[in-house]
Amino acid sequence: MIKLIASVLIFFTLLSGCQIIEEGEVDYVRTIANSGLDARNLATCNKELYNQSELVRAGVTRECYETLFRKYTDAPQIETGDTISVHLMQAFNGAAFEWKNTSEFFGNRGSNAEIVIIANVCEQGKAGCSMSFGPSSDKNGRVIFYSNGVKALQYLNFSYLPVYGPIKYEGGPLVIQITIIELDDPSDQQKAMLKSLSSAGQKLYPPASEVLTVLDSVGSAILSNSSDDVLFRYSMTLVPNSSSDNYKSPIVAEGNYAFIRKATEKGPLETEVVDKLMFDNLTGRLVEGCSPKEDELTIKEAANGEKRAHDYSPCTLDLNTGEMYKDYRKNTYLTFQIKSGFVEKTLDNIQTFEMLLQDLNQASDEGAIKAIQAISELESQFTSRAIENALQKSFNNLEEMVRAFPRDVYGRFESEAFNLSQIYETELAKLITDCKTTKKPICQDYISEDNLEKFQFQLRRFVKDINPNPAKAVTAIIPIGLNSLSSAADLEAALVSGYQKIYNKATVEKYLAELEVVRNLSANLKSLNESEVNEAYITQRKKLLENKVFDLLTSLAYNHSTALKLGCTSIDDKCYPYLLNEDKVKITDLFNQYLTQNGVSTPQIDSSDNASLTTSLKNDKITATLNAILSEF
C-alpha cells in the first residue's frame, strides 16, 4: 500500500508540470523569387506555368510550388537605402504537450497549451541591437504571438504577422532570434498582459524606440517562470554581399524562409525531411505529396447500423496535374517572409528617441496607444492613491498624445494640459498648507514628498523635451519640493506652446523624410538601370517614384496655400501645422539640389517669395517637374 501511495504521489507530481528544454534540431531553407518545381514531375517550372500557378483556387493542386534551397544559396541582395520588413507567415505546432491536470490525463483529452512566440530581429550596428545566449536568452525579444488554446498538431491561428519594419535598410547584417515557449499555467493577469504585449509587439515601431524597450523588458519579466517549456529556439544572421566570392554566406535578401524543427533521438539518424517538401507561396505553408490511400473516403457506422462515407482527405483536388499535395504536419515549423518595397511616408523621420513623433501603424494607432498605456503602467513610480493616480494619469495622457503624431490632437492636448495644471496647483497648495511647516495627520493621505519630487522632475523633463525654450525658465515654472507654483497658467502655456512647436517640427521632418525616400528610390533606380534587372520591376519602381514626388509636391503646395490664407508668420494656435517661410526655403532648396544631382536643370522650384513659390507649385509646374525627373530614368 505504501508503494502504491508513493507511486500515485510521484505520478501526480509529474502531472503538475516541470520545465522541459527540448529545442530539437532546427535548421532553415529558403526560396528564390520565381523559382519553382513542376508538380507533375518535379522538373524546373517554366515561367508561363509558374505564372499560371499563381492563380489557382483553394483546395486544388497548383501546377508549380516554390523550390526550397539551401540557406547559403545566392540571391539578389536588398539594397542599402531600400526598405526591409520581416513577417511571420505561418507556424505549425508539432509538439505534444504535457497534461495540465488529471482530468485531461484520465479523459484522454489533448491539452490546451499556452504558447508564446518571441522574436528578436534587428540590424547590427543600430542602437540596442545584439544577439544574446545563455539561460535567460529565450526571455528576451518581443512577444509577437500568444494563445492559450493551442492543441498539438495544429497550425497557429494567424497569418503574416509583422515582426520587423518596414524600415530603411542601412546595409548591416540582420540578426534574427526566434523562440517558442509553452507557459506552465500562467495566471489570468499574465494572460491578459501577454495579449497586450503580442498586440503591441506586432505594431511597427522603429528598432531603437522607447516603446520597444518597454515591450522587451516587460516581456522578460512575464516570462521569468522557470517551469516554462522551451519548444523551439534558433539564432541566425544574414549578411550583406561581400566583395569576395571565395566562400558562400547567407545574404540579406528577399525570400520565404522555413525554419523546421526535428526531434533529436538516439540511434540511427532520422530521414531528412526537406527533400520531400516544397513551399506554397500562396498560403505560406510547406506542402508534401499525398498518396492515393490518403485520398480515400472514411466509412463510419452510425448507432443504427447505417454506414456513411466521410471525406476527411487532406489532399488537394487533382484537376490537371496528376498529383495531389497536402499541408506538411509532421514537425514544428515556422515560415517567415523577408521583403523589400513597403514604403511608408512616416518611415525615416522617427529613427530618434528625441522625436517620438509617429506611430508607424497609422491605420490602427488608437489600439497601439491603448496597448502602450497598459504596459507603461507597470513602470509607474507612484502608489495607487487617488491624488497620485490623477496626476500620473493626466501626465500619461499628454505623453501618449505626443507619441500619437502625426494625428493632430491639439484640442485634447490643450484640455489635458489645463487639467494637469489645475490638479497639480491645487494638490501642491494643500501639501504646502498642511504639511510644509507642521505635518498634520491628513498628510498621510497626500502624495509623499519623495514621489512629488519624482513627479516634478518627470514633468520638467517632459516640458524640456517638447519645449526647449519656453517663455519662462522651466525651473521657475516647476519649482522642486514644497514650493508654490508661480502660476498654473505658466505651466499650461509651456505645455501647449511645446505641443505646437514639436508638431511643427514633426511637419518639417515629415517633408525631409519624404524627400529622403525620393532620393533613395532614385539612387535605387539608377543602380537597377545599370544592372540586368527585369524591366517590369524597373517600371514598378519608376511608378513608385512618380507617386512619391507627386505626393511630396502637392502636399507642399497645399501646406503653403493654407499658410498664406491664414497669414501665418509664426507658430501659434492656428498656424502650428504649417511650414514657416524658412522651412519652406530649406525644403525647396534641398529638392532643387536633388533635381540637379539627377540631371534635371529645369524647372527648379522658386521659393524666393510667396508668389514665386505659389507659381512653382501649380499643377502644370508639378507635372513638368515629374516628367523631367522620370525622363532621367
Side-chain angles (χ1 to χ4, degrees), residues 81 512-525 545 549 587 589-595 597-598 633:
L512 294 176
E514 289 179 352
L515 180 55
E516 185 63 23
V517 170
V518 168
R519 288 181 182 277
N520 291 338
L521 277 171
S522 300
N524 180 236
L525 267 171
L545 175 63
V549 175
I587 292 166
D589 283 351
L590 289 172
F591 186 80
N592 287 336
Q593 289 176 24
Y594 157 76
L595 293 177
Q597 289 166 358
N598 286 276
F633 300 101

Side-chain angles (χ1 to χ4, degrees), residues 146-262:
Y146 165 74
S147 174
N148 59 357
V150 177
K151 296 280 189 185
L153 306 179
Q154 77 158 81
Y155 280 96
L156 303 190
N157 295 327
F158 64 77
S159 176
Y160 214 67
L161 293 183
V163 176
Y164 178 77
I167 194 168
K168 182 178 177 182
Y169 176 56
E170 304 287 355
L174 193 69
V175 172
I176 300 176
Q177 291 185 290
I178 310 159
T179 305
I180 303 178
I181 291 177
E182 180 198 355
L183 300 183
D184 192 2
D185 290 333
S187 68
D188 290 339
Q189 287 181 322
Q190 284 177 315
K191 293 178 184 178
M193 185 53 64
L194 279 165
K195 287 180 179 177
S196 292
L197 280 169
S198 61
S199 174
Q202 294 162 25
K203 305 298 179 184
L204 307 178
Y205 299 112
S209 76
E210 186 185 56
V211 173
L212 289 193
T213 302
V214 176
L215 290 174
D216 291 348
S217 61
V218 177
S220 299
I222 286 183
L223 299 178
S224 62
N225 185 349
S226 63
S227 64
D228 299 336
D229 299 342
V230 178
L231 305 179
F232 183 111
R233 185 190 286 133
Y234 195 77
S235 303
M236 62 181 285
T237 303
L238 301 175
V239 296
N241 255 329
S242 167
S243 58
S244 170
D245 294 327
N246 293 336
Y247 299 98
K248 298 291 184 183
S249 53
I251 303 299
V252 179
E254 288 188 303
N256 299 316
Y257 295 73
F259 296 80
I260 306 170
R261 175 191 183 278
K262 298 182 294 181

Side-chain angles (χ1 to χ4, degrees), residues 500-569:
Q500 295 168 355
K501 291 176 182 177
I502 198 170
Y503 192 96
N504 186 267
K505 180 182 177 183
T507 303
V508 175
E509 295 293 339
K510 178 176 78 74
Y511 282 104
L512 294 176
E514 289 179 352
L515 180 55
E516 185 63 23
V517 170
V518 168
R519 288 181 182 277
N520 291 338
L521 277 171
S522 300
N524 180 236
L525 267 171
K526 279 186 176 180
S527 65
L528 290 175
N529 283 326
E530 294 169 359
S531 59
E532 296 181 2
V533 178
N534 186 293
E535 187 63 34
Y537 183 67
I538 294 179
T539 302
Q540 178 189 16
R541 303 298 283 178
K542 285 182 69 173
K543 185 63 178 177
L544 185 60
L545 175 63
E546 179 183 359
N547 292 338
K548 290 299 174 185
V549 175
F550 181 79
D551 288 345
L552 171 63
L553 295 182
T554 54
S555 174
L556 185 60
Y558 174 78
N559 189 288
H560 173 61
S561 64
T562 306
L564 289 181
K565 289 176 185 176
L566 295 174
C568 295
T569 58

Side-chain angles (χ1 to χ4, degrees), residues 9 23 48 131 158-159 168 173 278 291 294 302 307 322-323 326 382 393 420 427 429 439 502 517 591 605 632-633:
L9 287 174
E23 304 174 22
E48 180 182 354
M131 181 179 286
F158 64 77
S159 176
K168 182 178 177 182
M278 292 189 288
S291 69
E294 293 174 287
K307 293 183 178 181
E323 297 293 335
K326 64 180 179 181
F382 293 87
K393 180 180 178 182
L420 175 67
E427 299 306 328
K439 294 188 181 297
I502 198 170
V517 170
F591 186 80
I605 296 179
E632 297 298 321
F633 300 101

